[in-house]
Amino acid sequence: MATAATDRTAAPEPAPHVLVVPYPAQGHTIPLLDLATLLASRGGVRLTVVATPATAPLLAAHGDAVGELVLPFPSHPAFPAGVESAKGLSPALFGALIVAYAGLRAPLGDWARERSGGPDRVAAILSDFFCGWTQPLAAELGVSRIAFSPSAVYGTAVLHSLFRRMPQREDGDDESPIGFPDLPGAPAYPWRQLTLLYRTYRDGDEVSEGVRRNFLWNLEASSFVSNTFRRLEERYLAAPLADLGFRRVRAIGPLAPDAADAASGRGGETAVSAADLCAWLDGFADDDGSVVYISFGSMAVLQPPHAAALAAALERTGVPFVWAVGTAAPLPEGFEERVTAAAATAGRRRGKGRVVQGWAPQVAALRHRAVGWFVTHCGWNSVLEASAAGVPMLAWPMTADQFVNARLLVEEAGAAVPVSWGGIQAAPEAEEVARVLEAAAGGQCTHVAARAKELAEEAAATVSDGGASRQELDELVRELRELGSEPKE
């Protein structure tokens, strides 16, 4: 008796499952979420993004492209209870945040092991370079870990070089030069321009040792993925770097939204809508490039002398401006009222300005044709957003990797003019700031503006189909797929 044939066609293997671990700072979380969304759009991988209750709202702008895993923020005696991110955090606590966040290692390991025998097993970990603790976690799980850098390759190498080599200044001198002999050109920086994470290192201190271990773990990752593009950092992508453990670096940026998405809420709620700000900028339609946009990022708070010098320079020069001051900038008394009064004067262009108290729709502002210059602290996200928009920069670095970024822009890319190299410690005179503003607004820096336009063309080309960054992205997707298809031990 014949028996009916049975369809034994095997169900297709599920797409590899990648665990994505951002660091809880907007400048780190946003680009990694942008990358996760891009990876999901290529197909063939599934992604789960780790968040805590405070950072989970940032995932909303990315729709259903990625899954989410929300875990309680881990407690740590060195870190204040109730704080879950770097937003508004004192720079003195940045190291403690890195160490406290590492407390997610145990619950994440438990979560992954519960899924190790099924279709949702974790095939790879993609995590921020401030989450170096995911490297031993990946080793425990028997999977590869890819380190994500939201910074320049140059800046990332400088940071890791410090904790790898542990150079010291001479005689406690803040101007003592610290060299980086393994980087192209063997650059050197005065001690005061190095990241506070390194300058505050104390041998034997739990937080200091935890921060150093974090960066050394990154050098064991299978590869780095950096939010940059080749034409901007060709010098640092040409060959493997000792300061990045000779690991492969994939340049997949800029991870800035295109013009159609410039008004998106990927950075969270803004104090003014993109439509409102752009409507105000439309008032300069007959004078393209006349407005200076000013922002020092989501974490930096200007010291009173810096804010006073900038405010005085703006009033002295009468340059039209938008200043996104954040929520705690110490504006000089009466400054905002005088600006508002000038803005209300019918037909008056000179001296017209707008102050935004809080988070601003920066991408939309930089993409507006009225904006011709960007006064920036040179945080890397701001650098890439300006580069993609073709806006030349007035570089005013304060701390962290910002001096490295500013040097890259001024000395190598030629897309920025320095305002001050004094950082947080030394504010420039208002006359000096005014001189730079007048030179930029007066058309004396046309070569820098032209280079910024070239960078925008290069940025657009590299993220277009067939461009270098898109090729690197597709290779990353293939790598993740292959990791997911490797036989289980």
Side-chain angles (χ1 to χ4, degrees), residues 190-279:
W191 175 266
R192 65 177 175 81
Q193 291 185 359
L194 302 182
T195 174
L196 193 65
L197 281 174
Y198 183 72
R199 288 188 287 122
T200 55
Y201 173 86
R202 288 182 296 147
D203 189 26
D205 175 72
E206 179 192 3
V207 169
S208 292
E209 296 296 350
V211 169
R212 183 179 186 223
R213 188 165 57 248
N214 174 87
F215 293 110
L216 295 182
W217 271 328
N218 288 333
L219 303 182
E220 301 174 19
S222 63
S223 63
F224 281 83
V225 176
S226 182
N227 184 19
T228 189
F229 58 104
R230 186 160 290 277
R231 289 297 294 274
L232 182 58
E233 292 201 86
E234 186 75 46
R235 192 181 194 190
Y236 307 99
L237 289 162
L241 300 175
D243 291 320
L244 293 181
F246 294 107
R247 294 301 193 255
R248 164 73 184 270
V249 178
R250 296 191 187 279
I252 45 78
L255 292 170
D258 59 26
D261 295 326
S264 71
R266 80 197 236 279
E269 185 177 355
T270 57
V272 60
S273 71
D276 181 21
L277 184 56
C278 288

Side-chain angles (χ1 to χ4, degrees), residues 356-441:
V356 178
Q357 297 275 359
W359 187 260
Q362 180 164 294
V363 173
L366 292 173
R367 298 279 177 149
H368 198 284
R369 64 185 186 182
V371 172
W373 287 88
F374 179 17
V375 176
T376 173
H377 64 314
C378 297
W380 193 244
N381 284 315
S382 290
V383 166
L384 290 182
E385 288 168 1
S387 296
V391 177
M393 288 160 269
L394 299 178
W396 196 342
M398 293 292 172
T399 186
D401 61 348
Q402 296 158 19
F403 290 98
V404 179
N405 298 341
R407 284 262 293 267
L408 174 69
L409 291 167
V410 172
E411 299 175 5
E412 297 187 37
V417 176
V419 175
S420 170
W421 297 106
I424 292 176
Q425 295 175 321
E429 296 294 329
E431 291 80 2
E432 178 61 16
V433 181
R435 183 192 66 76
V436 176
L437 287 174
E438 287 176 335

